[in-house]
Amino acid sequence: MARLTKNDNVCIHCHRCEAICTWAHESAFNPKRGRIIVDLEFPDVHKIRICIQCGRCADACPMDAFYQDFNLLTTSEQGIFRLDEDKCVGCGECVQVCPTNVLQFFPDIRMPRKCDFCLGEPQCVKYCPTHALSWALG
């Protein structure tokens, strides 16, 4: 069982996590398309937005395009929520209910992108220079 955790206090707003996320999933360095988001608020407050695996996206989806993958468990022993792209029709209902606003809709592909914890080896954690992100086994 594992959990992705964050420490906003040590984030230096380098966006490396966002860039490596898109590289791992889309073979392109594009922080704006990451499944993790780093916000900067004035004057120097950094907030990392990550998927908390709450399942609201699955509850809101009229096409049942989200499912729980029990091959990767969270610390609450529930499976992570993943998107079945073949079932997604791009309605955006899931994006509207995301409590962390990390689920984003991309019009060019007509569907959202959701964190899958890199199937147990989160690259955002591996490449974070300040360890603002961690993958805790528990």
Side-chain angles (χ1 to χ4, degrees):
M1 295 176 295
R3 182 177 183 183
L4 180 63
T5 58
K6 63 181 183 134
N7 181 347
D8 292 315
N9 295 328
V10 297
C11 177
I12 59 172
H13 202 246
C14 67
H15 297 280
R16 189 178 295 184
C17 57
E18 295 166 320
I20 200 66
C21 176
T22 55
W23 180 256
H25 289 92
E26 300 176 34
S27 300
F29 288 114
N30 185 348
K32 296 196 181 303
R33 293 183 68 104
R35 291 156 173 85
I36 183 170
I37 299 171
V38 179
D39 291 326
L40 176 62
E41 295 178 4
F42 186 81
D44 194 23
V45 177
H46 306 99
K47 291 189 178 179
I48 305 168
R49 288 192 276 146
I50 59 176
C51 179
I52 58 173
Q53 301 298 328
C54 66
R56 290 182 188 165
C57 52
D59 293 340
C61 182
M63 302 306 294
D64 292 324
F66 289 91
Y67 64 97
Q68 269 187 296
D69 182 348
F70 289 98
N71 292 315
L72 184 61
L73 301 178
T74 63
T75 50
S76 61
E77 296 192 25
Q78 73 174 22
I80 66 165
F81 288 91
R82 297 186 61 195
L83 175 65
D84 181 342
E85 294 181 2
D86 292 332
K87 290 183 177 181
C88 181
V89 295
C91 68
E93 293 294 320
C94 56
V95 175
Q96 299 300 317
V97 299
C98 181
T100 60
N101 292 322
V102 74
L103 195 58
Q104 300 177 77
F105 184 80
F106 295 106
D108 60 325
I109 58 172
R110 299 202 34 82
M111 69 179 57
R113 288 294 188 216
K114 178 162 180 344
C115 178
D116 62 4
F117 295 148
C118 295
L119 302 179
E121 296 182 32
Q123 297 301 297
C124 56
V125 171
K126 184 176 179 181
Y127 289 95
C128 180
T130 62
H131 305 289
L133 298 165
S134 64
W135 183 245
L137 299 173

